[in-house]
Amino acid sequence: MPVTKEICKLPSYFSSVLFQKLDINRTGLVTKERLISDWLDQNMLVADGATRIFTVLKQHDTDYLTQDDFRPILRELLLTHQGLEFLHDTPEFQDRYAETVIFRIFYHCNKGGNGRLLLREIKRSHLFATLQQVDVEEDINKVLNYFSYEHFYVIYCKFWELDSDHDFVIDKDDLLRYGNHALTYRIVERIFSQVPRRFRSGVEGKMGYEDFVWFILSEEDKSSETSLEYWFKCVDLDCDGVITPNEMHHFYEEQVHRVECMAQEPVLFEDIVCQMSDMIKPKKDGHLTLRDLKNCKLSGNFFNILFNLNKFVAFETRDPFLIRMEREDPTLTEWDRFAHAEYIRLAMEEDGEDVFMDGSAEVLDDAFEYY
């Protein structure tokens, strides 16, 4: 471990994968000379952190990382991090935690969305800094990027709630129940058309757990680039790179009906168009591009108005609770605030007033009986 951290400047849980990288002949022994020779030959002593982790994790014949390349360090982390010790007796749960961390890493870092994480993408991300933080932070829940157990627990429980038959895939009807039926039929249809992202479930017409992770991260934090791209593709019906008033009306029409069913007066579409134009300030009136949305910090409201009833109402009423949460800690993302609130809700439901960390895996014991 001192070699991994002090000499190679890598997180301690990289020890096993580093050893395997150096022990190319599988002798079970790496000499000091071999370590120095390999590290110097690859200029690792002067390389930046992103290059070091990329070089150690990648396969020798590739110039990118896949999800599988991260599994060895997640296995070692689960064995050695004291904040994850309570999962040692639940290997199935360990696997779910590990894959969720990996999915989140690729969601935020792999801008190409092709499952091949490039060195330049790592350099542009916070991945190396986060990997270092995990190594020194005893409370895994303080590592909000990728690794928080509480965040994983929220994601998994939300999926489990929707997966009523527990076959580990969900269909359109299942997703329509998300957030107390917050989403419109039309946006769910669009998600299942797989325009924003091809499903990885392997089951036709069904969303798997990885697909759900992409969805929930996009739905609960519409300020991230990946989320904006996800929803832009959904609303851009003709895939021409521009959202027009006609496309906006296609989705807002259903929102109007839902608002009327609540015995409320809906906002006229013309007023919505004006309001959104004033907020986003597109370069060309009546033509919203992805760049326009990325240049506006409030773009998430645009999508909420079109297809999320609960968030649309909260935006219209300027929910004081949400405003207070944002002011209390402006450094937190929308996802961070959502996950924290949901974790507390789940904890209250399962354990009364106890916010569980130790032993919380027991809550999902029944879930894994199906696998």
Side-chain angles (χ1 to χ4, degrees):
M1 188 177 298
V3 171
T4 305
K5 291 191 68 172
E6 297 173 16
I7 298 177
C8 298
K9 307 298 182 185
L10 293 167
S12 61
Y13 50 93
F14 273 63
S15 295
S16 295
V17 71
L18 175 62
F19 185 88
Q20 294 296 323
K21 194 80 172 181
L22 297 171
D23 185 24
I24 56 176
N25 295 321
R26 300 295 181 263
T27 63
L29 179 67
V30 174
T31 64
K32 177 181 178 182
E33 291 74 19
R34 179 55 188 266
L35 170 64
I36 295 174
S37 173
D38 277 25
W39 214 242
L40 289 176
D41 286 348
Q42 298 180 72
N43 295 317
M44 287 295 101
L45 287 178
V46 295
D48 58 77
T51 300
R52 290 198 300 274
I53 63 169
F54 180 80
T55 302
V56 171
L57 292 179
K58 80 178 188 71
Q59 303 302 308
H60 74 279
D61 57 346
T62 64
D63 57 358
Y64 56 84
L65 299 179
T66 66
Q67 292 185 5
D68 287 340
D69 293 327
F70 284 87
R71 298 188 189 282
I73 64 169
L74 264 297
R75 281 196 295 269
E76 187 164 354
L77 179 70
L78 282 158
L79 288 172
T80 59
H81 198 288
Q82 70 177 56
L84 295 168
E85 286 180 355
F86 66 96
L87 289 176
H88 287 179
D89 295 330
T90 54
E92 300 93 342
F93 212 32
Q94 286 183 322
D95 292 342
R96 295 298 178 211
Y97 170 81
E99 68 181 8
T100 303
V101 170
I102 294 171
F103 295 158
R104 292 184 67 188
I105 288 172
F106 274 75
Y107 174 88
H108 287 287
C109 301
N110 183 210
K111 300 303 182 183
N114 57 4
R116 296 183 173 188
L117 187 58
L118 303 177
L119 176 58
R120 67 172 179 267
E121 292 177 319
I122 296 177
K123 288 184 175 183
R124 293 171 183 169
S125 72
H126 301 294
L127 181 57
F128 180 67
T130 302
L131 293 172
Q132 287 184 308
Q133 182 187 2
V134 170
D135 206 25
V136 299
E137 178 55 67
E138 294 181 0
D139 186 354
I140 198 70
N141 291 316
K142 291 183 179 179
V143 187
L144 299 180
N145 290 334
Y146 323 131
F147 287 89
S148 167
Y149 169 79
E150 291 182 359
H151 289 193
F152 152 69
Y153 188 76
V154 167
I155 293 172
Y156 192 84
C157 284
K158 298 297 281 188
F159 181 81
W160 185 251
E161 288 172 356
L162 298 179
D163 182 21
S164 53
D165 57 2
H166 306 314
D167 59 356
F168 222 61
V169 290
I170 58 178
D171 58 21
K172 294 177 188 177
D173 291 335
D174 294 325
L175 192 62
L176 280 167
R177 292 189 286 109
Y178 181 83
N180 294 321
H181 298 270
L183 301 173
T184 64
Y185 285 93
R186 290 179 182 178
I187 199 65
V188 170
E189 284 282 349
R190 194 68 172 155
I191 292 168
F192 274 80
S193 73
Q194 302 181 49
V195 169
R197 183 176 183 271
R198 299 291 298 176
F199 288 170
R200 307 291 202 273
S201 66
V203 181
E204 187 175 356
K206 298 291 183 73
M207 172 186 279
Y209 181 60
E210 180 180 354
D211 309 313
F212 180 77
V213 172
W214 246 257
F215 160 77
I216 193 172
L217 293 177
S218 298
E219 170 55 26
E220 300 304 340
D221 187 354
K222 296 187 177 74
S223 64
S224 72
E225 283 196 11
T226 307
S227 174
L228 289 174
E229 291 168 5
Y230 185 96
W231 296 118
F232 186 91
K233 291 176 182 177
C234 283
V235 179
D236 181 18
L237 295 173
D238 56 7
C239 302
D240 65 349
V242 175
I243 294 177
T244 63
N246 285 339
E247 289 166 323
M248 291 171 59
H249 185 266
H250 171 77
F251 291 97
Y252 187 68
E253 186 177 37
E254 188 176 345
Q255 283 285 65
V256 169
H257 176 68
R258 302 178 84 200
V259 170
E260 290 174 339
C261 288
M262 295 170 61
Q264 295 188 20
E265 186 71 24
V267 182
L268 294 176
F269 177 69
E270 292 76 11
D271 294 337
I272 287 293
V273 172
C274 290
Q275 187 178 10
M276 292 301 98
S277 182
D278 290 342
M279 181 176 69
I280 298 171
K281 295 179 174 57
K283 286 189 175 181
K284 183 178 180 181
D285 286 342
H287 288 70
L288 285 178
T289 66
L290 183 58
R291 176 169 293 184
D292 292 329
L293 292 169
K294 287 183 177 180
N295 288 336
C296 175
K297 293 182 179 180
L298 301 175
S299 293
N301 294 322
F302 167 74
F303 292 116
N304 289 333
I305 287 170
L306 294 183
F307 52 73
N308 187 308
L309 181 60
N310 297 341
K311 292 181 180 179
F312 175 32
V313 172
F315 172 72
E316 282 296 304
T317 57
R318 303 298 191 273
D319 189 331
F321 175 72
L322 296 178
I323 294 173
R324 187 174 70 252
M325 286 179 63
E326 292 172 5
R327 288 175 177 172
E328 285 177 353
D329 192 345
T331 63
L332 295 178
T333 66
E334 292 178 22
W335 166 257
D336 295 333
R337 287 189 285 268
F338 165 80
H340 178 67
E342 278 298 302
Y343 184 79
I344 292 175
R345 181 187 69 81
L346 290 166
M348 295 291 284
E349 286 182 359
E350 295 293 341
D351 231 6
E353 296 181 354
D354 294 331
V355 179
F356 45 85
M357 185 63 186
D358 296 332
S360 59
E362 296 175 6
V363 177
L364 292 184
D365 278 350
D366 291 340
F368 292 111
E369 292 178 7
Y370 294 89
Y371 306 116

